[in-house]
Amino acid sequence: MPRDAPARPDVSLKLRAALTDDLPAIYDLIEQCFPEAPRELFVAQTEVDSTFRLRHARVAVLDGRIVGYVRIFARRMRVRGVPLPAGGIGSVATAPDAQHRGIASMLMRDAIEQMRREGVAVSFLFTGIPGFYERLGYRIVREPFFTADAAEAAALAAQSLYDVRPATDADLPRLVRLYRDATAGTTGSACRTRRQCRDAQQWLGEEPGGAFVAELHGRIVAYARTRCRTYGHEIMELEHRAGHAGAVSPLVAAASSLALAHGEPLVALAPDDSQLAVMLATLPSTRSTTDVRYPMMMRVISLEAMLRPLLPYLSTRAAGHPGPPFRARLHTIDESAVIAVRPRSVALHTNNAAADLDLDANATLDALLGQRLPSRSARPRLSPELRRRLDALFPPTPLHFCNSDRI
Ligand SMILES: CC(C)(COP(=O)(O)OP(=O)(O)OC[C@H]1O[C@@H](n2cnc3c(N)ncnc32)[C@H](O)[C@@H]1OP(=O)(O)O)[C@@H](O)C(=O)NCCC(=O)NCCS
């Protein structure tokens, strides 16, 4: 439809959960809207992913035809170590002849409502069009992205204590345990079951030989998953056991040798204080930026679902930092909640309780995710004492690095 043509009043537009019979039409729609991605990927995302549920496949039907689609990926994400129900958003698509009528926006609001009904705390996505999602309350979560010269990185392996070899299917249970132990206590990491890892390997079509393990005396102490991208050979994930940061260099070297073979740079998302970031930063060729092509975006779906499970954590923080009581109101685009901090406990009010401090959607996400607190909009209203108390409650902590393939 031409941009300036008057929009038809879409009286017959219906939003609903998909039915099994809708799947072929959904695949056709996605194929049309994402010509660069193979259809099999989307088929596998529904038919191989054991977390797929029809109620998470939201469709827009106009005159009996499916013209829009949004998929919710049911996951669990840790926030300050606490696993919370999370909803990934993907495959957002509107048929070309039905675009610019608000269909994707309506479907996204419908998906947000569905997530809220199911008690989802937080939603995340990865996108090349952040402006579209910002209007729906999502915020970019900045993460450092590194690019390094593969030849330089490949030289890191010298004199390592660790033996590096390609990962095999038989390693999976040990890798799932290692991942779980390494991500305990973090913010932003997804909780994974063995089944989910296996599903993901299948539907992501991960190349054999792209994953490596590092062993010491026959015990796996670290691993890396890597993948060929259009912009370089990427380390999608690298985890190591406590005390084995030394295993990171030979794993990076193994990934770099694949990058070298394809004449590509080595690329990785990594939090600033991770061993991977620290090590890449020692290479003269390394460049880092937070301006990434498909940034991660997040949105709080339910403050109640987010804050209630975090109360024990917050109470511990409050106990560690005694001081005068205070109340902070956190608000997102469509709801607010007040946390009342007393010297030894923290209470949550979802009614309009009075508060000493208002944190807007940005500052709320900053606080909960542990990024720099408070955001610019909240800063002028903070007295030094409130700021100290708030920082004590929500200390800055790096986000555990995330990309679509890790979820
Ligand atoms: C993105 C997409 C789902 C939007 O569907 P839609 O039903 O037209 O969306 P809405 O009418 O609710 O909103 C349209 C607004 O989204 C924004 N938008 C849509 N596509 C965009 C793009 N490629 N880049 C930047 N902004 C975009 C614009 O602000 C647009 O406003 P306009 O209609 O005034 O131009 C649709 O264009 C599509 O299927 N694209 C191909 C697949 C895709 O890129 N999906 C998103 C992956 S994260």
Side-chain angles (χ1 to χ4, degrees):
M1 185 173 100
R3 290 290 310 276
D4 47 3
R8 271 177 44 197
D10 294 327
V11 282
S12 88
L13 187 78
K14 298 247 175 337
L15 307 184
R16 60 163 171 81
L19 308 169
T20 309
D21 286 352
D22 295 330
L23 290 176
I26 291 173
Y27 300 147
D28 290 345
L29 172 69
I30 296 177
E31 192 170 26
Q32 203 181 6
C33 293
F34 296 97
E36 68 292 352
R39 180 184 177 103
E40 305 82 68
L41 174 76
F42 297 104
V43 175
Q45 255 182 23
T46 44
E47 293 175 19
V48 180
D49 180 358
S50 55
T51 68
F52 175 76
R53 299 289 177 273
L54 284 168
R55 66 175 190 279
H56 295 154
R58 313 301 301 180
V59 293
V61 184
L62 184 61
D63 299 331
R65 178 172 73 109
I66 291 182
V67 293
Y69 181 64
V70 169
R71 160 83 194 272
I72 301 167
F73 292 81
R75 297 289 182 266
R76 291 181 79 72
M77 184 180 277
R78 290 184 194 82
V79 171
R80 295 172 186 267
V82 179
L84 299 174
I89 291 290
S91 309
V92 182
T94 300
D97 64 342
Q99 290 178 1
H100 304 293
R101 294 183 194 179
I103 291 178
S105 305
M106 282 189 266
L107 266 176
M108 278 298 302
R109 282 189 211 102
D110 170 72
I112 287 166
E113 268 319 299
Q114 178 64 24
M115 289 190 277
R116 189 168 289 138
R117 277 195 292 275
E118 293 189 24
V120 166
V122 65
S123 173
F124 59 89
L125 53 85
F126 303 88
T127 184
I129 51 169
F132 173 73
Y133 296 99
E134 263 163 12
R135 289 201 294 268
L136 294 154
Y138 284 80
R139 296 283 173 264
I140 292 181
V141 178
R142 300 271 169 211
E143 295 180 278
F145 180 80
F146 295 84
T147 307
D149 177 71
E152 224 174 56
L156 285 165
Q159 298 176 352
S160 165
L161 293 173
Y162 299 88
D163 299 316
V164 171
R165 62 164 174 82
T168 66
D169 284 350
D171 295 323
L172 191 70
R174 282 180 291 170
L175 300 190
V176 173
R177 271 202 303 278
L178 201 161
Y179 172 81
R180 190 195 54 210
D181 296 347
T183 55
T186 60
T187 293
S189 57
C191 307
R192 296 197 192 131
T193 62
R194 213 186 278 183
R195 173 101 190 252
Q196 271 170 336
C197 292
R198 209 165 255 140
D199 288 352
Q201 264 177 358
Q202 233 183 313
W203 61 261
L204 288 172
E206 233 161 83
E207 302 116 50
F212 301 94
V213 297
E215 291 176 317
L216 188 64
H217 311 307
R219 178 177 177 241
I220 296 178
V221 293
Y223 72 89
R225 283 169 62 205
T226 78
R227 199 173 183 209
C228 204
R229 297 299 208 179
T230 49
Y231 43 85
H233 197 83
E234 182 172 36
I235 299 181
M236 300 188 290
E237 176 167 341
L238 191 152
E239 303 293 354
H240 63 86
R241 289 208 174 274
H244 294 284
V248 173
S249 299
L251 284 171
V252 171
S256 304
S257 55
L258 293 184
L260 257 183
H262 293 103
E264 291 169 342
L266 183 76
V267 294
L269 270 175
D272 274 334
D273 71 334
S274 68
Q275 189 59 31
L276 178 59
V278 168
M279 208 214 36
L280 289 174
T282 64
L283 302 174
S285 69
T286 299
R287 299 282 168 271
S288 87
T289 177
T290 51
D291 193 12
V292 299
R293 205 173 326 167
Y294 297 98
M296 180 175 179
M297 298 186 83
M298 292 187 88
R299 183 197 198 278
V300 174
I301 297 296
S302 159
L303 277 169
E304 162 95 27
M306 179 122 193
L307 290 169
R308 183 85 48 205
L310 281 175
L311 287 180
Y313 166 86
L314 294 175
S315 295
T316 312
R317 300 291 318 171
H321 299 270
F326 78 102
R327 289 162 170 257
R329 173 178 290 116
L330 310 178
H331 49 91
T332 66
I333 195 168
D334 42 22
E335 56 168 353
S336 71
V338 171
I339 46 174
V341 183
R342 301 186 199 96
R344 305 226 160 269
S345 69
V346 173
L348 176 66
H349 304 278
T350 44
N351 55 11
N352 272 335
D356 305 305
L357 170 70
D358 263 316
L359 293 184
D360 68 4
N362 273 333
T364 296
L365 255 185
D366 279 359
L368 296 170
L369 297 180
Q371 300 199 306
R372 282 290 130 200
L373 215 186
S375 83
R376 214 176 311 132
S377 52
R379 200 167 293 150
R381 283 186 265 157
L382 277 183
S383 70
E385 173 57 19
L386 272 183
R387 180 171 184 163
R388 195 184 64 76
R389 300 226 62 211
L390 211 52
D391 275 348
L393 201 57
F394 295 113
T397 174
L399 197 72
H400 200 75
F401 61 112
C402 242
N403 60 43
S404 52
D405 296 328
R406 291 173 59 84
I407 298 285

